[in-house]
Amino acid sequence: MLQAITRYGLFLALIGAAAYFFRIRYRKGLQDIPGPFWASILSFDRVITTASGKQQHKHLQYHNTYGPFVRVGPNHVSISRGEFITQIYGIGNAYPKSEFYSVFDAVTPHGVRFPTLFSIRDEKAHKSLKRPVASAFSMTSLVELEPLTDICIEILISKLNRKKGQSVDFGTWLHWYAFDVITSLTFSTRQGFMETETDVDGIINAIEGRLVYNSIIGQVPFLHKFLLGNNFIAACAQAVPLLAKLNTVRSIVKFAASQLEKRSMGKSLPSNDQNHDLLDRFRRVRDSEEVITNGDLLNHAASNVFAGSDTTAISLRSMFYYLCKNKRCYEKLREEIDNMDKEGSLSSPITFGEASRMPYLQACMKEAMRLHPAVGQMLERVVPEQGAQFGQHWLPSGTIVGINPWVVSRERTVYGEDVDDFRPERWLDATPEAAKYMQRNFLAFGSGGRSCLGKNISLLEMSKLVPQLLRRFDIELSSPMTDWTLNTYWFVKQTDLFCNIKKRPTMEQS
Ligand code: HEM
C-alpha cells in the first residue's frame, strides 16, 4: 500500500515537473527563439558558463550556431545585432536594468545596503543620483585634473626605467597605474600601488573576489538574499577562507570611506586649491543650488574605486597586446608619435590635447576596445509592460534582453570579414556613413542613459599613457608565441601579459 502511494506520488511529481518545464520551454514569445535546450528551461546553464569564466566565448559560439537571437535562459534573450542598441538602451526608452544588477548594490561595514549609480534600477532615483556629479566627469572638467595623471605617468616611467633587461608583468603594472590614477583623481590620495609595487590594502583582490560572486550569483539573483546578501550569512562566511575571498563588498566600501575620511581631514590635500579633485567637484555643487549628501558622496567614491581601475587596465593591456602582436601597427603608431616629437609639438608627458591630435593613436584605442571590450557579459535589461517587437520576434513584458559587447563588436555585417583582426585603419578609412554605423554598434562603454560615466577618465588616462610609453620604451612580448590568459567575471580580465621593456633614445628631457 505504502509502495503504491510512493509510486503514485513520484508519478505525480514527475508530471508536475514536466508540466512546469513544458510551460517554461514554451513560454509565449520565447518558444521560437533558438538556443541550447537546457538553457531554455534552467538557469543552470548560465550559472555554469559564467562560473567557467568564459561567458563571452560561449555567447559568441551560441550566436554563430543559432543566429542573431539566442535564448540563453528560461527568460533571457541575447541579441547580437547593434541595430537594437537604441531600442534597448537608448535615452528615454523604458528598459530598466534587470535584477542581475542588484547583486552589485554596495554594503557599508555596518551591513547597510545601498544601490550605487551602477546598480540602481529605478530610473528616477538613478537620475537624481547622477545629476549632481555628471558635469565633474566631462572632459572639460577632467583635463583640468591632468597634472594628477602626469605624476602617475612619471612614476610608472621611472619604475620601468629600472626594470631594463627584465621580463616585466606589464599587465599588473598597468593595473597599479590605473588604480593610482583613479584614487588621485577622486581623493587626491595616490595609494602608492606603483611605488610600493603591491596591491595596497588588498583592494584589487577584494574587487576581484566580489566580481566572481556577483557575476555568478547575478544569474540567479533571487538567491543573493540567502547567500552573501544576508548579513548573518555574510558574517559567517568570513570564517571560511574561500568564502571570505568572495565576501568583500564591505571592505571595498570601507576602503572608499577611509579615503573620504582622510580627505575630509585634509590629509591628502597638497594645496588649498578648491577644485582639486573629483570630490571637490562633487561637493562644489552642494554650495550652489544642488545638494549632495555624505551618503551620496560615499556612493560615488565607492563607484569610482570599484569601476575605475579594472576597466582602464583591461583596455590598456589590450592596446599594448594588440600593438605588440601587430608590428606594422606598432611601427605606424610610433612613427606618428616620433613625427610630432621631431616637430617639437609634444610636451612631457604628452598632454591630452596633443594625444587627441594623433588620429592613428585614437583609432588604435578604439580598435583595441572593439576587439576586447572590458565587459564580457550581457548588459541585461527588462522588456517593459507592453512587451516589445524585435524584428520578427515579439517579446513579452518581463523578458530579460541584452547585448554582450563582445558579441556585437564581432558582427561581420558591421565590421566585415576581417572582424577578428586588429586593423585600426577600419576607423580611419571608412566613409563617414560607415564610420557612423560602426560607432553606433560600439558598445564597449555601454549606451544611452546608463552608459559609462567614467569613459572620459579612461580616455584621458589611455590617450596620455600609451604614446608617452611608446615614445620612451621599446616594448615587446616576452614570449610572443604564448597567449595571455582571459578570465571573465563581468570584466574580461587578462593575466600573463609579460613584456620586455627597453629604454629608447629620446628627444625629450628625462
Ligand atoms: C575603458 C574603461 C571603461 C569601460 C570599457 C567601461 C565600461 C562600462 C560599461 C559597458 C558600462 C555600462 C554597463 C551596463 O550598461 O550594464 C559602464 C557603466 C559605468 N561605468 Fe564604466 N567603464 C570604464 C571606465 C570607467 C571608469 C574609469 C569609471 C569611474 C570613474 C566608470 C564608472 C562607471 C559607472 C558609475 C557606470 C554606471 C553608469 C550609470 O548607470 O549611470 N567606468 N562602464
Side-chain angles (χ1 to χ4, degrees), residues 89 97 100-101 116-120 126 130 137 182 186 278 303-305 307-313 315-316 369 373-375 378-381 405 443-447 449-455 457-459 461-462 490-491:
Y89 305 102
K97 285 192 167 183
F100 166 80
Y101 291 89
T116 64
L117 194 65
F118 173 76
S119 69
I120 202 161
H126 169 260
K130 182 174 169 181
F137 289 91
I182 194 66
T186 310
L278 285 174
S303 272
N304 280 17
V305 168
S309 64
D310 265 305
T311 45
T312 312
S315 305
L316 279 169
M369 289 190 277
V375 175
M378 211 166 96
L379 311 181
E380 293 184 4
R381 299 295 189 268
L443 199 59
F445 289 108
S447 179
R450 302 302 299 263
S451 66
C452 181
L453 187 65
K455 173 180 167 183
I457 295 186
S458 297
L459 294 180
E461 281 182 58
M462 292 170 70
W490 183 242
F491 295 136

Side-chain angles (χ1 to χ4, degrees), residues 94 382-388 394 396-398:
V382 184
V383 171
E385 227 172 288
Q386 64 281 15
W394 179 85
S397 156

Side-chain angles (χ1 to χ4, degrees), residues 150-169:
D150 290 342
I151 299 168
C152 296
I153 292 175
E154 272 154 21
I155 294 171
L156 180 59
I157 287 180
S158 85
K159 284 285 186 174
L160 293 178
N161 265 331
R162 281 179 242 156
K163 305 277 174 198
K164 51 182 175 264
Q166 297 171 30
S167 171
V168 171
D169 183 354

Side-chain angles (χ1 to χ4, degrees), residues 27-31 33 75 77 382-390 393-401:
R27 188 172 175 226
K28 199 173 160 215
L30 274 78
Q31 76 273 36
I33 311 249
N75 193 31
V77 177
V382 184
V383 171
E385 227 172 288
Q386 64 281 15
Q389 193 72 38
F390 288 89
H393 301 282
W394 179 85
L395 298 181
S397 156
T399 307
I400 292 168
V401 282

Side-chain angles (χ1 to χ4, degrees), residues 5 32 43 129 146 163 201 287 303 429 446:
I5 293 175
D32 295 331
S43 292
L129 188 59
E146 237 182 296
K163 305 277 174 198
D201 292 340
D287 301 327
S303 272
D429 299 345

